[in-house]
Amino acid sequence: MVADSVAVSPAASPGLLRRVEAVVFLTVFLDLVGFGIVIPMLPFYVQSMGGSARTVGILLGCFSFTQLLATPLLGRYSDRHGRRAVILLSLLANAAAMALFALASHQRMLPLLFASRILAGATSGNIAACQAALADVTTKQTRAKAMGRIGAGIGLGMVLGPTLGGLFSGLGAWVPPLLAGGLALVGFLGALVAMPETHPVEQRVAAQSQPRWAALQDAPRRKALGMVLGLFFAVFLSMTTLQVAFALLVQARLGWGSKEVGYTFAVVGGLGMVIQGGLIGPLSRAAGEFRLLITGALLLACGMAGLAVAQQALPMMVAVVLVGVGTGFLQPLISSQASQVAPPSQQGAVLGLAQSCGGLARTVGPVASGWMYASWSTQAPFLTGMVSALAAAGLGLWLRRETADDAGR
């Protein structure tokens, strides 16, 4: 086990930095494999237990609501006590939540399914802690590329997760979530052995003396921070549409089942893996982070509009590709912007707040999407997702102007 006193910095040896990046990548990858196994098939699980589209939205909303409450606390805890403890706790709790999910699927008990998602949401702060760990060991110039590695882990997990879910779902509804729990346990053991503490002791001590809301009250660029939080909300509000309404949409329009939905989510994850794993660094240097962020938001808006109107498989997949490319650009870039408006001793708190704003969107979005799909039309959730993505593009333009003004002062 790595001693807690070990801490790295941007000046640490390249070998140690690569080790941190590798452990963070593996942690996020295994976590998202589990997420990808169950999420595309969640609407079918709920339907098999007698639930409706509204129930799917409420179930996803419960996960996100508990995540919304817990993530800032976990981020602040990681500032005070280190990133490693949060990563370990979240992986172990996720394994337990997936085991509960498997039991709920086997027994067809909807309340147990809700309990599993609430537990998973309450301890799902590991991505914010991983982002903070990378922010600890990178500079402003290298941060977008490092955040892209987290995105690559997310993308690879979202490729393999839905694929494994589709393949193993034929063995029984309980098999995919049990597999997800096993992978989360593997991630826990790997992080327990190999993850060093990245947050320096002096910054942990400084964070312990700061009040609960110091990340908001003392932020040197408070206006820019507010825009970043708005970006997280708008981007994730658009993305949640896919989790709730897409499976229901393609089942109604194209007759697709869980296997086809799983493979489609794998396409989205694959695009994210390619973009964030290899392209985001060179592209952000060539075009600039803000230009790429705005482009990603516009692509996401076009993809959502395409999903709203597509009636055949080919245009549906073109729209899915646009969504995958757009989110592939957006996810590492909004995280990079969040880390850049945070002082070093409050990286975890600010990234936790940002993830919490995403959690708020993932709380409101699924419930609203399920309700709109059931009560208005199949198109309504995707048109709402398009509007949210356009709002993200506008916030990106505003943030670019604000940060340019700050640089000129």
Side-chain angles (χ1 to χ4, degrees), residues 112-131:
L112 273 182
L113 197 61
F114 272 88
S116 75
R117 301 316 295 155
I118 289 170
L119 175 60
T123 52
S124 60
N126 62 334
I127 290 181
C130 287
Q131 289 171 336

Side-chain angles (χ1 to χ4, degrees), residues 21 24 134-135 138 142-151 276 280 332:
E21 291 173 346
V24 165
L134 285 182
T138 55
T142 61
R143 196 156 297 157
K145 181 180 178 182
M147 294 297 179
R149 292 199 175 119
I150 288 184
Q276 297 176 58
I280 195 69

Side-chain angles (χ1 to χ4, degrees), residues 78-79 83 127-137 147 198 347-348 351:
S78 78
D79 283 337
R83 318 302 186 197
I127 290 181
C130 287
Q131 289 171 336
L134 285 182
D136 290 337
V137 300
M147 294 297 179
T198 63
Q347 293 280 355
L351 285 163

Side-chain angles (χ1 to χ4, degrees), residues 269-304:
L271 290 168
M273 178 184 66
V274 171
I275 291 169
Q276 297 176 58
L279 299 180
I280 195 69
L283 286 174
S284 63
R285 287 193 297 271
E289 286 194 18
F290 283 112
R291 186 174 299 172
L292 205 58
L293 189 155
I294 294 162
T295 299
L298 293 175
L299 288 173
L300 178 58
C302 291
M304 286 293 168

